[in-house]
Amino acid sequence: MPKQRITKEMVVHAAFEIARSSGMEQVMVKNIADKIGCSVQPIYSYCKNMEGLRQDVTEEVCCFISKYIAAHIDNDDLFRSTGRAYIQLAKEEPYLFKIFIFHERRGISSLNELYQSEASEHTAGFIADKLNISISQAKQLHMNMLIYTIGIGTIFSVTTPGVSTDEIYMQQETAYQAFLNQALKNKDI
């Protein structure tokens, strides 16, 4: 039987699947080799170090999450449904959610920089148009909801047996209304 050719893509995919099912701490050379069905040698040939491989896995996670969110949003209620999609992600893919939330974001020294790195440049404009508020008010509202959703999603992903999604959605809606009221109040200023 001819030997199977192991590729870097196979290594990264196997590492991603391990992270998805067991968490990033289980992404180890031996576990990857077992998943692929090979010796550890091909894994070492593609991975100069585990940090580089974990970075590749994190990129795969971010790509997966972007596709997941896009597939789970309601275009008629984009803003709310995006927040709900992140909570659903935390429920369905808790390990991937944790990797996404806890991966290091280099070069970020303010919440505004974090917002710019995490949000689409068109989102604030969409929110501003939809709610008839300024771009700066929309950015503030969106940033508040991002921070809130990340926080409540983190709580959701680390509780056992877990807070109900209905309770989380209700809390998210309460926060949205409070942040929206604040944005509308600041509209006159």
Side-chain angles (χ1 to χ4, degrees):
M1 178 182 288
K3 280 188 168 182
Q4 177 184 10
R5 178 162 154 54
I6 307 299
T7 65
K8 181 177 181 181
E9 291 76 26
M10 291 170 69
V11 172
V12 172
H13 180 72
F16 170 85
E17 289 300 325
I18 291 166
R20 186 178 190 180
S21 65
S22 306
M24 189 68 92
E25 57 279 352
Q26 293 303 312
V27 175
M28 297 180 274
V29 172
K30 182 185 179 327
N31 292 346
I32 296 167
D34 289 347
K35 181 102 175 143
I36 295 173
C38 67
S39 71
V40 296
Q41 183 55 42
I43 312 304
Y44 283 118
S45 70
Y46 288 113
C47 305
K48 303 246 188 286
N49 59 51
M50 287 306 290
E51 187 56 36
L53 177 61
R54 287 189 176 107
Q55 203 167 5
D56 289 343
V57 171
T58 299
E59 288 174 19
E60 288 286 318
V61 168
C62 291
C63 182
F64 175 90
I65 288 173
S66 289
K67 291 176 183 173
Y68 180 97
I69 298 302
H72 287 84
I73 57 174
D74 175 0
N75 287 327
D76 294 330
D77 192 9
L78 189 64
F79 192 55
R80 281 188 181 104
S81 68
T82 300
R84 286 178 174 231
Y86 276 104
I87 299 303
Q88 191 64 33
L89 172 72
K91 179 181 181 180
E92 292 177 9
E93 301 285 354
Y95 291 114
L96 297 184
F97 185 80
K98 289 175 199 171
I99 292 166
F100 174 71
I101 294 302
F102 295 122
H103 81 273
E104 186 175 354
R105 289 154 171 90
R106 298 176 190 264
I108 304 293
S109 60
S110 71
L111 290 176
N112 189 49
E113 289 175 0
L114 177 66
Y115 178 79
Q116 289 174 348
S117 75
E118 298 291 320
S120 164
E121 62 185 74
H122 305 295
T123 304
F126 174 83
I127 294 167
D129 288 344
K130 200 81 161 158
L131 299 177
N132 196 25
I133 58 177
S134 72
I135 295 284
S136 65
Q137 291 166 321
K139 281 183 181 178
Q140 187 62 51
L141 173 61
H142 190 212
M143 182 168 35
N144 287 341
M145 285 308 297
L146 279 173
I147 292 167
Y148 190 84
T149 298
I150 288 168
I152 203 162
T154 302
I155 291 167
F156 184 68
S157 71
V158 298
T159 56
T160 305
V163 179
S164 79
T165 52
D166 288 341
E167 186 177 357
I168 295 291
Y169 291 157
M170 185 177 70
Q171 197 62 40
Q172 209 175 20
E173 183 64 26
T174 300
Y176 169 73
Q177 290 300 326
F179 293 140
L180 177 61
N181 288 340
Q182 184 64 38
L184 293 174
K185 182 178 162 186
N186 289 339
K187 187 176 182 179
D188 300 328
I189 296 174

